[in-house]
């Protein structure tokens, strides 16, 4: 029941919210907060009871907290289509579940200042939160697809209604991009269903676990793993496109800067913290293990596009003047490491990719929260409109410095461990050696844009046309933002949101073993599946 | 708990305490109490480790000791530990860092008095020592890299400490620009350092020094060449050598104690330390060694010539540091690793003394740094003057000072190795060094006062002069640890370090030759000092650059070159090329697909006329076509 509970807790909150009169904003917020806290508690329970020695991946018996029930069975002209409610956890999903719970809670905290249609906002927010969690837990591809689609709709409205000036354009762009991916994914799912049987029941199945084992494909079926089966390559790319749009991989990334810039802060937090990880997770869980030999054929290309994302994203970040847009491009750059790490096809690179997802899942929410802080106060994110803020917002500047250092790969923070793993893994393989060296440029470029941003906003003197004023005598100056009534530096709520993220970033940087222990066995298994296919391909 | 852990982590504790204090405000007159508390506390956090290292040193028996705290990260074949190695080299370096570090902390209590960011300053300084100790004591390259990046971060934070001040330079307008420049140039070096680590790991799946050195036979010669070359490139960043040296002179934007501690005595020598640490690897690659020697001497010479014409007291010292680091790399390149560390040691003493002395002067003249506006300070600041003079003589290599013995050691070893050209350039550089040192000293302390009459400079408080005296004394007698063979048969520092540093078997010099070399070094130093004194002690001194000196004053236009050849193209690439591509082409394509869909919809919409006759017509035509098709097949 644990997995069902952690998934549908937000749904319960959404249903309760529907019953609360819309004037009682604080009650509505508290209900969502309770659900999110409940999710975090359950995530801790899962973490504590998780047995890291079981690999999972392609063996249901090695999944944990498994819940299975027949879901539906439809007769279609003599052909039975049946799907299961199959949920379970292994090393690929356990860290993502913990991350989702943390980020969803932070997102609720960040939503506290939203005043526009609070009731519908939280209903949609909880729906989104539910579907994200469901995506990481579903082992039945059809169930996964439902959750995947459900993330889309709340997100569309959350950006389209609560977003900035250009919100409708951004929302529709996000929607269409991801919808293109979803349609292709649906086609691949149908083809897979027709080709794979469950070894236990002998019937066709949507189980992703069964699909990850090549023996479960019906010989002669559309997607049977046979020499030169072009359909398998097509199905691979159908899924691949759906997932890399989410990651996002250059050149399918242009929805992201727009979506981020227009989205309200908590939605940016969730988008960068969790939704992008759905892409990387999908690649690791579904795309690559199901079509390992196609993956092997294109591994170098995937690594190449990973490196292009790293370098290109960083260059674009350098060119931005909008703080939030810069952070968005930095996300593109950092998610490129995930692709590079997976494409190395060894446990070092893969654990680096997974760690990078976790680390970026903490750092990017931090960054977007920090962007939100300044935007709320000044109503602008143009970096040149500030200057000299370190003096007036020392705590804020401290958090910014920590987040920036984490992002540019300072050792003893989480980003370094992840990126070092990716580089060492990718360098150890002949195929991706040169690419990994080029990818290291990313750490140089990220220093360039982050330090420049810090300089523009926090150092020097207040600029003549700055977004804030300084008043008072020499030595007693204080800053104030126009029509901002709150504290200039971070208030208690903002610190409470940022501090836990910062703490985890430091803990993982200093002592990543707890996370590594969770993910290693499963990633080793994925690496085995993928390299076995390489050996076959070579023969 | 091992005492090594205590020594490494006390500075970190100091960092946290000072950070907390920097966020709290003591009311009114208690503010000065806070200064005392923070200052004493953070000085203790460095002095106690120094005491520990000194005790360890006293009972050191030459055996390396490894203390492991925990497994940092392990995955697949990799296992990286947080583990510290205490051997003669790391112990010696740790003593320099904490010893000089304590003195500079003490000095800073006086120097930073009344500064708004007093506690923040000490927090950064403590954090720096923590990172530096990690760099030195780490037993593997990853933990070393933590220290390496950590000192870079602290250097960045401290260069930009007064972030709202103006600072002039090429492409630089504020102290923050200088900090960014330092960080990014160091990152270029880090890039190479990382690549070297990848190469090592790929070959032996380990990154701890013991494995690397014990399995060094596993690398073939190409590997060794690339590994050592890449590490050296990494070192050119941190230790300010050609081509990555231009950040160091701009790093003078930081408060002067920072220049003394980070940009003279400790951080910038970490490249020398690392090369010495991996010396068995380096001697396997003669090509890299030659390159190191050539880059070293070239840097020494070029930086010294630039130092001849600079008018900012700290800039002269900065170029002098770059130049002296060049000497150390020369020593490394010819395989005299012990001599390099010897010069690191004496340099730490006299350069720290010079920087702190300059800080004392700058303080007395209310932030004046231009030596054209100084002069005559000997009378009003006797203690600063005396210690500055001693340290200057050591820098110039005046006979029997610490700098004399270490520099002569480097030059003699170069001569010994048969690289007479390198030795010759080294000697010329020594002359130039003596020359600019005397110029700096004379213009600052002798002659008539050229500063504004409304300034009344006076001697700094005892808190600042005490460290000057200690460092001055060490600049005088510090050479005793490495006396040449003609004076003392067994060179102490060479034999002390022999357990952890490789040595190249070289033919030893005849005693008579060694006497001759010592004599030549002495003469060159004295000639340089005398020539300079005769020019600059005149009543009217002409120091404005003209002709060839303009080229030197402008630092060979290297900054301009880098700006035009690297920085500008980079910015162009990002903001004029790639960002527009992203906006117009990629996103244009996406929007194009979007609007063409709308267009297609619009076109198709016309068919939906809503007129029944039209639909009937189309249906009829369709039917006819269909029937016709079936009939034909």
């Amino acid at each position: 029941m644990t997995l069902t509970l952690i998934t549908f807790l937000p749904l319960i909150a959404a249903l309760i919210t529907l019953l609360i009169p819309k004037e009682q904003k604080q009650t509505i917020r508290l209900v969502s907060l309770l659900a999110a806290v409940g999710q975090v508690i359950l995530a801790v329970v899962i973490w504590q009871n998780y047995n890291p020695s079981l690999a999972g991946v392609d063996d249901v018996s090695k999944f944990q907290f498994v819940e299975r029930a027949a879901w539906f069975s439809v007769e279609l002209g003599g052909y039975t289509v049946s799907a299961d409610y199959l949920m379970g956890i292994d090393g690929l999903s356990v860290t993502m579940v913990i991350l989702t719970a943390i980020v969803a809670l932070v997102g609720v905290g960040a939503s506290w200042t939203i005043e526009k249609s609070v009731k519908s906002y939280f209903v949609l927010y909880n729906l989104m939160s539910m579907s994200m969690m469901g995506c990481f837990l579903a082992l039945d591809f059809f169930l996964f697809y439902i959750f995947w689609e459900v993330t889309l709709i709340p997100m569309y409205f959350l950006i389209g209604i609560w977003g900035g000036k250009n919100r409708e354009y951004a929302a529709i762009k996000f929607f269409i991009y991801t919808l293109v991916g979803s349609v292709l994914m649906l086609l691949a799912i149908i083809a897979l269903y027709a080709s794979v049987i469950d070894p236990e029941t002998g019937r066709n199945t949507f189980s992703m676990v069964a699909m990850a084992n090549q023996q479960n494909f019906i010989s002669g079926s559309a997607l049977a793993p046979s020499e030169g089966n072009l359909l398998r390559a097509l199905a691979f790319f159908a899924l691949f496109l759906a997932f890399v749009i989410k990651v996002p991989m250059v050149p399918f990334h242009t929805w992201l800067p727009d979506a981020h810039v227009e989205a309200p802060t908590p939605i940016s937090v969730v988008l960068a913290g969790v939704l992008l990880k759905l892409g990387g997770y999908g690649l690791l869980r579904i795309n690559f293990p199901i079509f390992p030999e196609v993956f092997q054929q294109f591994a170098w290309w995937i690594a190449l596009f990973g490196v292009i994302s790293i370098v290109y994203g960083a260059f674009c970040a350098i060119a931005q003047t909008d703080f939030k847009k810069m952070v968005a491009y930095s996300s593109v750059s950092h998610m490129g490491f995930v692709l590079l790490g997976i494409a190395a096809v060894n446990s070092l690179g893969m654990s680096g990719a997974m760690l990078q997802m976790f680390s970026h899942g903490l750092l990017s929410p931090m960054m977007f929260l920090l962007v939100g802080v300044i935007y709320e106060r000044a109503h602008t994110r143009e970096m040149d409109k500030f200057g000299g803020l370190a003096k007036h917002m020392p705590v804020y500047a401290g958090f910014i410095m920590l987040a920036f250092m984490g992002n540019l790969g300072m050792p003893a923070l989480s980003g370094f461990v992840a990126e070092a793993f990716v580089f060492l893994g990718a360098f150890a393989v002949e195929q991706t050696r040169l690419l990994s060296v080029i990818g290291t440029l990313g750490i140089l470029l990220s220093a360039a844009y982050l330090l420049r941003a810090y300089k523009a906003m926090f150092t020097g003197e207040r600029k003549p046309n700055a977004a804030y004023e300084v008043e008072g005598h020499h030595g007693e100056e204080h800053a104030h933002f126009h029509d901002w009534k709150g504290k200039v530096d971070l208030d208690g709520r903002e610190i409470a949101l940022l501090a836990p993220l910062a703490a985890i970033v430091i803990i993982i940087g200093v002592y990543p073993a707890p996370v590594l222990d969770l993910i290693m066995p499963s990633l080793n298994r994925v690496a085995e599946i993928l390299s076995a296919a390489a050996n076959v391909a070579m023969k | 708990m091992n005492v090594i852990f205590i020594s490494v982590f006390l500075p970190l504790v100091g960092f946290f305490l000072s950070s907390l204090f920097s966020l709290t405000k003591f009311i009114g007159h208690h503010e000065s109490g806070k200064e005392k508390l923070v200052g004493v506390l953070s000085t203790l956090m460095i002095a106690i480790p120094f005491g520990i290292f000194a005790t360890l040193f006293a009972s050191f028996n030459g055996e390396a000791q490894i203390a492991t705290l925990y497994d940092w990260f392990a995955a697949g074949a990799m296992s990286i530990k947080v583990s510290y190695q205490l051997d003669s080299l790391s112990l010696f370096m740790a003593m320099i860092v904490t010893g000089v570090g304590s003195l500079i902390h003490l000095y800073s209590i006086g120097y930073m008095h009344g500064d708004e960011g007093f506690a923040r300053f000490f927090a950064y300084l403590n954090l720096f020592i923590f990172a530096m100790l990690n760099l030195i004591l780490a037993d593997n390259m990853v933990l070393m890299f933590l220290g390496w990046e950590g000192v870079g971060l602290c250097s960045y934070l401290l260069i930009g400490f007064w972030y709202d001040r103006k600072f002039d330079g090429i492409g630089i307008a504020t102290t923050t620009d200088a900090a960014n420049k330092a960080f990014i140039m160091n990152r270029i070096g880090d890039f190479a350092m990382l690549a070297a680590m990848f190469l090592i790991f790929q070959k032996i799946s380990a990154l701890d020094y013991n494995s690397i050195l014990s399995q060094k036979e596993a690398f073939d010669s190409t590997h060794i060449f690339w590994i050592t070359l890449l590490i050296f490139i990494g070192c050119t960043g941190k230790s300010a050598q050609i081509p990555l040296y231009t950040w160091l002179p701009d790093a003078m934007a930081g408060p002067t104690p920072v220049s003394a501690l980070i940009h003279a005595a400790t951080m910038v020598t970490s490249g020398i330390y690392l090369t010495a640490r991996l010396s068995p690897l380096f001697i396997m690659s003669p090509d890299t060694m030659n390159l190191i020697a050539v880059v070293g001497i070239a840097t020494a010479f070029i930086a010294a010539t630039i130092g001849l014409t600079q008018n900012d007291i700290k800039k002269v010292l900065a170029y002098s540091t770059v130049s002296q680091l060049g000497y150390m790399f020369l020593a490394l390149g010819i395989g005299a690793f012990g001599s390099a560390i010897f010069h690191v040691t004496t340099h730490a003493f006299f350069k720290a003394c010079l920087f702190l002395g300059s800080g004392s002067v700058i303080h007395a003249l209310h932030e004046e740094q231009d030596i054209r506006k100084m002069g005559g300070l000997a009378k009003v600041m006797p203690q600063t003057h005396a210690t500055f003079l001693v340290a200057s003589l050591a820098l110039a290599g005046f006979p029997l000072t610490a700098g004399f013995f270490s520099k002569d050691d480097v030059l003699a070893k170069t001569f010994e190795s048969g690289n007479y050209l390198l030795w010759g350039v080294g000697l010329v550089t020594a002359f130039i060094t003596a020359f600019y040192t005397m110029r700096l000293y004379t213009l600052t302390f002798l002659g008539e006062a050229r500063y504004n009459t409304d300034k009344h400079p006076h001697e700094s408080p005892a808190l600042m002069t005490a460290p000057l005296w200690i460092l001055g004394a060490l600049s005088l007698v510090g050479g005793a640890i490495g006396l040449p063979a003609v004076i003392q048969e067994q060179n102490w520092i060479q034999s002390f370090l022999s357990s952890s540093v490789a040595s190249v078997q070289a033919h030893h010099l005849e005693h008579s030759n060694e006497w001759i070399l010592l004599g030549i070094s002495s003469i060159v130093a004295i000639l340089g000092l005398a020539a300079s004194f005769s020019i600059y002690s005149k009543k009217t001194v002409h120091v404005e650059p003209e002709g060839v000196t303009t080229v030197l004053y402008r630092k060979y236009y290297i900054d301009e070159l880098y700006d035009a050849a690297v920085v500008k193209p980079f910015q162009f690439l990002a903001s004029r090329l790639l960002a527009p591509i992203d906006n117009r082409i990629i996103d244009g394509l996406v929007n194009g697909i979007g609007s063409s869909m709308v267009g297609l919809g619009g076109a198709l919409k016309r068919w939906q006329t809503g007129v029944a006759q039209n639909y009937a017509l189309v249906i009829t035509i369709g039917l006819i076509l269909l029937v016709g098709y079936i009939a034909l097949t």
Side-chain angles (χ1 to χ4, degrees):
Chain A
M1 272 313 277
T2 326
L3 300 191
T4 302
L5 200 58
I6 197 174
T7 307
F8 293 105
L9 214 50
L11 183 66
I12 298 171
L15 293 174
I16 295 174
T17 306
L18 286 175
L19 302 176
I20 304 172
K22 66 172 186 255
E23 291 76 27
Q24 299 188 14
K25 293 180 179 175
Q26 205 62 9
T27 322
I28 292 170
R29 293 182 185 124
L30 282 172
V31 168
S32 297
L33 183 68
L34 269 179
V37 169
Q39 274 188 307
V40 170
I41 292 171
L42 285 170
V44 172
V45 169
I46 290 172
W47 174 39
Q48 288 303 316
N49 293 300
Y50 181 80
N51 174 2
S53 62
L54 299 174
V57 186
D58 61 341
D59 184 351
V60 182
S61 65
K62 289 191 177 146
F63 274 86
Q64 298 170 53
F65 303 92
V66 175
E67 287 168 29
R68 179 168 221 164
W71 183 16
F72 66 80
S73 190
V74 195
E75 201 83 16
L76 285 172
Y79 193 78
T80 323
V81 177
S82 55
D84 285 345
Y85 176 78
L86 178 59
M87 304 259 249
I89 268 193
D90 68 354
L92 297 183
S93 47
V94 65
T95 53
M96 292 295 108
V97 168
I98 297 168
L99 178 71
T100 306
I102 296 171
V103 174
L105 177 59
V106 170
V108 171
S111 307
W112 224 251
T113 49
I114 291 209
E115 294 290 340
K116 179 174 167 184
S117 338
V118 176
K119 184 170 168 175
S120 16
Y121 174 85
F122 276 100
V123 169
L124 287 166
Y125 182 90
N126 280 309
L127 280 179
M128 181 180 66
S129 167
M130 171 204 76
S131 53
M132 293 186 311
M133 188 61 93
C135 276
F136 289 120
L137 291 171
L139 293 180
D140 184 283
F141 210 159
F142 196 80
L143 186 60
F144 174 87
Y145 183 75
I146 300 289
F147 282 129
W148 176 273
E149 286 300 294
V150 173
T151 56
L152 203 56
I153 297 148
M155 198 51 143
Y156 171 77
F157 287 115
L158 285 167
I159 297 175
I161 297 175
W162 286 268
K165 238 180 270 159
N166 216 354
R167 55 182 180 259
E168 274 150 28
Y169 169 73
I172 197 76
K173 196 168 175 181
F174 164 81
F175 190 80
I176 290 177
Y177 249 111
T178 8
L179 196 67
V180 169
S182 311
V183 171
L184 293 169
M185 191 198 288
L186 186 61
L187 291 174
I189 293 176
I190 294 168
L192 275 168
Y193 179 77
S195 309
V196 179
I197 52 162
D198 189 329
E200 287 167 34
T201 61
R203 285 183 312 171
N204 287 40
T205 180
F206 282 115
S207 162
M208 303 191 283
V209 185
M211 289 171 189
N213 189 339
Q214 302 296 301
Q215 254 119 47
N216 296 333
F217 279 83
I218 306 163
S219 65
S221 63
L223 296 181
S226 58
E227 197 97 4
N229 187 345
L230 200 64
L231 280 176
R232 272 179 76 82
L234 279 177
F236 173 87
F237 279 108
L239 290 176
F240 186 70
L241 195 66
F243 292 130
V244 294
I245 285 175
K246 271 266 157 73
V247 166
M249 177 182 90
V250 174
F252 307 110
H253 65 285
T254 61
W255 64 270
L256 184 81
D258 284 317
H260 270 310
V261 167
E262 300 306 329
T265 302
I267 302 310
S268 281
V269 165
V270 171
L271 186 64
V274 179
L275 276 185
L276 305 188
K277 275 73 211 173
L278 275 177
Y281 171 77
L283 294 173
L284 268 174
R285 158 79 72 212
I286 302 170
N287 201 180
F288 298 162
I290 297 182
F291 303 102
E293 83 290 355
V294 190
F295 163 74
Q296 280 293 349
Q297 258 178 326
F298 293 97
W300 185 82
W301 290 96
I302 295 168
L304 176 70
F305 276 95
V307 169
I308 290 177
S309 299
I310 294 173
V311 176
Y312 180 88
F315 266 114
C316 288
I318 290 178
Q320 302 309 317
T321 54
D322 181 316
F323 191 16
K324 204 170 187 184
K325 216 162 183 174
M326 184 198 83
V327 175
Y329 274 109
S330 127
S331 271
V332 174
S333 177
H334 282 93
M335 290 302 285
F337 286 97
V338 175
L339 293 169
L340 178 62
I342 299 175
V345 212
N346 50 24
S347 55
L348 210 52
M350 292 211 163
S351 46
M354 197 78 208
L355 218 49
Q356 175 74 350
M357 288 210 279
F358 195 70
S359 158
H360 183 259
L362 299 163
L363 282 167
S364 59
M366 256 185 102
M367 295 273 255
F368 282 113
L369 283 173
L370 291 163
V371 174
V373 165
I374 203 70
Y375 185 68
E376 245 179 6
R377 285 160 174 67
H379 308 298
T380 177
R381 293 178 304 248
E382 284 299 314
M383 292 187 274
D384 290 338
K385 290 271 182 194
F386 298 95
L389 273 182
K391 198 179 294 168
H392 307 294
M393 305 178 75
V395 181
Y396 181 63
F399 274 108
I400 283 270
M401 189 51 95
L402 184 82
F404 278 12
M405 287 302 143
N407 250 298
L408 57 74
M410 183 59 60
L413 299 174
S414 62
F416 170 74
V417 186
E419 284 165 25
F421 271 49
V422 168
F423 286 137
L424 286 172
F427 195 84
V429 186
E430 181 87 50
Q431 191 175 222
T432 48
R433 188 160 300 156
L434 183 65
L435 289 174
S436 88
V437 173
I438 300 171
T440 6
L441 262 182
I443 65 156
L444 177 64
L445 297 173
S446 57
Y449 62 76
L450 291 170
L451 296 189
R452 199 190 49 123
Y454 189 85
K455 183 203 152 197
M457 294 181 64
F458 292 93
T459 71
E461 295 284 0
R462 176 190 168 277
K463 296 193 180 101
N465 59 344
Y468 70 97
E469 301 287 348
V470 175
E471 285 177 351
H473 301 292
H474 181 72
E476 307 270 313
E477 300 101 332
H478 57 271
H480 80 94
F481 294 92
H482 313 282
D483 65 306
W484 169 252
K485 301 281 180 290
K487 213 173 144 197
V488 173
D489 206 346
L490 298 185
D491 60 28
R493 181 186 62 93
E494 288 157 340
I495 292 176
L497 294 178
L498 287 162
L501 294 174
I504 306 174
V505 164
I506 295 173
I507 290 170
I508 292 176
V510 175
Y511 189 55
V515 180
L516 283 172
D517 289 346
L518 290 180
I519 63 176
M520 282 317 286
S522 298
L523 287 169
N524 284 334
R525 183 72 199 116
V526 176
E528 268 171 43
I529 294 174
L530 296 182
S531 12
N535 295 337
V536 172
M538 280 218 249
K539 275 174 203 159
Chain B
M1 180 117 177
N2 198 309
V3 284
I4 301 174
F5 301 144
I6 298 176
S7 337
V8 173
F9 285 96
L10 267 185
L12 186 66
V13 174
F15 162 71
F16 284 123
L17 292 178
S18 301
S19 305
L20 283 181
F21 279 120
S22 82
L23 289 176
T24 53
K25 260 214 153 31
F26 284 31
I27 303 155
H29 60 279
H30 292 295
E31 199 62 17
S32 68
K34 173 176 147 187
E35 272 191 10
K36 281 197 194 91
L37 184 65
V38 169
V40 170
L41 210 59
S42 43
T43 307
L44 274 180
M45 294 301 171
I46 313 304
I48 293 170
F50 175 71
I52 293 175
F53 288 125
T55 321
L56 288 171
F57 176 75
S59 60
F60 189 68
N61 58 5
E63 255 175 65
Q65 179 196 347
I66 288 184
T68 304
L69 195 59
Y70 67 95
D71 271 5
W72 187 7
F73 42 83
M78 176 167 62
S79 167
I80 305 291
K81 294 178 168 59
V82 175
S83 177
Y84 300 103
Q85 173 177 341
L86 202 70
D87 63 358
S88 51
L89 179 61
S90 59
L91 179 56
F92 192 72
M93 288 295 288
M95 279 179 61
I96 298 176
V97 168
T98 49
V100 176
S102 316
L103 292 174
I104 293 174
H105 271 70
L106 204 60
Y107 175 94
S108 306
I109 300 177
Y111 190 84
M112 297 304 288
H113 172 69
D115 195 283
E116 247 184 305
F118 188 89
R120 188 164 59 95
F121 180 81
F122 277 90
Y124 293 164
L125 228 47
N126 271 205
L127 186 64
F128 168 76
I129 299 280
F130 169 71
M132 194 68 204
L133 287 177
N134 271 285
L135 194 163
I136 288 169
L137 291 164
D139 92 323
N140 61 70
M141 290 193 75
V142 185
L143 188 60
M144 182 282 296
F145 193 68
L146 178 139
W148 187 269
E149 290 287 278
V151 291
L153 169 65
C154 296
S155 159
Y156 161 80
L157 291 170
L158 285 162
I159 296 170
F161 181 77
W162 288 318
Y163 43 69
D164 44 5
R165 291 201 186 170
K166 294 263 172 290
F167 185 77
D168 273 336
I170 304 304
I172 282 178
T174 63
T175 52
T176 313
D177 288 321
N180 286 4
K181 180 176 177 181
F183 196 93
I184 288 167
M185 283 197 109
N186 270 296
R187 277 253 146 169
I188 298 174
D190 296 348
F191 183 64
M193 186 64 83
L194 279 175
M197 288 175 16
F198 300 161
L199 267 172
I200 294 172
F201 184 79
Q202 179 227 335
K203 205 71 189 167
I204 64 171
S205 296
L207 281 168
D208 59 299
Y209 295 129
N210 283 331
S211 305
I212 295 171
L213 297 182
S214 63
Q215 298 179 52
K216 59 177 191 280
E217 308 302 331
F219 304 103
D220 54 48
S221 58
T222 337
H223 255 102
I224 286 283
F225 171 71
W226 280 106
I227 290 171
T228 49
L229 179 72
L230 288 166
I231 291 177
F232 173 61
I233 294 174
C235 294
T236 59
K238 198 116 288 178
S239 294
Q241 296 294 292
I242 292 173
L244 298 178
Y245 69 94
T246 58
W247 65 270
L248 184 60
D250 288 329
M252 297 302 125
T256 308
V258 172
S259 312
L261 178 63
I262 300 184
H263 304 117
T266 57
M267 182 187 86
V268 287
T269 61
S270 47
I272 290 112
Y273 162 78
L274 187 65
T275 311
R277 165 66 66 209
L278 292 168
S279 49
L281 220 54
F282 276 86
I283 53 177
M284 288 168 72
S285 176
D287 290 341
T288 314
M289 293 289 275
N290 289 335
L291 182 73
I292 294 177
V294 171
V295 168
I297 194 66
T299 311
F301 178 76
I302 287 176
T305 54
I306 297 174
L308 281 173
T309 55
Q310 299 303 308
N311 289 328
D312 181 318
I313 186 169
K314 288 181 72 181
K315 281 251 168 95
V316 177
L317 292 175
Y319 278 104
S320 154
T321 304
V322 175
S323 172
Q324 296 301 308
L325 291 167
Y327 271 117
M328 297 171 205
F329 275 99
L330 169 67
L332 295 173
I334 56 163
F337 300 104
S339 310
I341 300 293
F342 182 27
H343 200 51
V344 165
T345 315
T346 61
H347 179 256
F349 297 150
F350 63 71
K351 194 52 71 61
C353 186
L354 286 172
F355 265 119
L356 295 186
S358 76
S360 179
V361 168
I362 293 167
H363 219 56
L365 292 176
H366 308 292
E367 308 304 316
E368 182 57 73
Q369 302 198 11
D370 193 332
I371 46 176
R372 287 170 296 190
K373 295 177 185 158
M374 293 181 183
L377 288 169
K379 274 164 270 162
V380 281
M381 306 180 74
Q383 301 194 49
T384 306
H385 165 248
T387 52
F388 198 93
L389 175 62
V390 171
S392 294
L393 292 177
L395 169 61
F398 190 79
L400 303 182
T401 58
F404 169 72
F405 286 117
S406 59
K407 196 185 291 175
D408 180 68
D409 194 22
V410 173
L411 288 174
K413 290 276 174 11
T414 314
F415 188 83
E416 215 175 279
S417 71
N419 290 308
Y420 301 116
L421 180 65
L422 296 182
W423 175 76
V425 181
L427 215 54
V428 173
T429 308
F431 177 82
I432 301 173
T433 310
F435 193 92
Y436 70 68
T437 309
M438 185 47 93
R439 172 179 177 267
L440 179 68
Y441 164 76
T442 314
L443 290 178
T444 309
F445 287 100
L446 306 183
E448 280 172 18
R450 294 184 298 277
Y451 45 84
N452 276 346
T453 45
D454 56 347
K455 286 178 183 167
H456 302 289
H458 52 84
E459 186 56 272
S460 298
L463 213 51
M464 286 164 71
T465 50
L468 287 177
W469 281 112
I470 298 172
L471 288 167
L474 287 169
S475 316
L476 204 56
V477 302
I481 60 168
L483 294 175
V486 286
I487 299 175
Q488 190 185 33
E489 194 49 51
Q490 190 67 358
N491 183 321
W492 179 81
I493 186 162
Q494 302 280 359
S495 54
F496 179 73
L497 293 176
S498 62
S499 59
S500 42
V501 172
S503 57
V504 181
Q505 209 57 41
H507 32 211
H508 277 284
L509 283 176
E510 301 267 331
H511 275 197
S512 54
N513 285 347
E514 197 162 344
W515 279 118
I516 293 172
L517 289 177
L518 279 172
I520 295 177
S521 291
S522 313
I523 293 167
V524 164
I526 292 168
L527 274 181
L529 290 169
S532 176
F533 185 77
S534 68
I535 295 173
Y536 292 104
S537 59
K538 286 187 195 132
K539 265 224 156 104
T540 49
V541 188
H542 184 69
V543 290
E544 297 307 322
E546 58 177 11
V548 68
T549 57
T550 319
V551 178
L552 297 181
Y553 182 72
R554 292 268 167 202
K555 310 158 214 159
Y556 298 102
Y557 300 96
I558 297 290
D559 274 317
E560 285 87 344
L561 178 74
Y562 283 1
D563 196 54
V566 183
V567 181
K568 289 269 153 52
F570 237 68
Q571 287 168 345
F572 177 83
L573 186 65
S575 48
R576 302 269 153 195
L577 214 61
L578 290 180
I581 284 179
D582 204 58
N583 270 335
R584 306 232 174 92
I585 301 188
I586 298 189
D587 220 21
L589 210 63
V590 171
N591 288 333
I593 292 173
S595 46
S596 59
M597 285 297 170
V598 174
L600 187 66
L604 290 176
K605 189 170 70 183
R606 295 207 191 136
W607 292 86
Q608 311 284 334
T609 52
V611 180
Q613 286 92 325
N614 286 354
Y615 291 154
L617 186 68
V618 172
I619 289 169
T620 318
I621 293 170
L623 268 176
I624 292 168
L625 284 177
L626 194 66
V627 171
Y629 176 76
I630 291 167
L632 281 174
T633 50

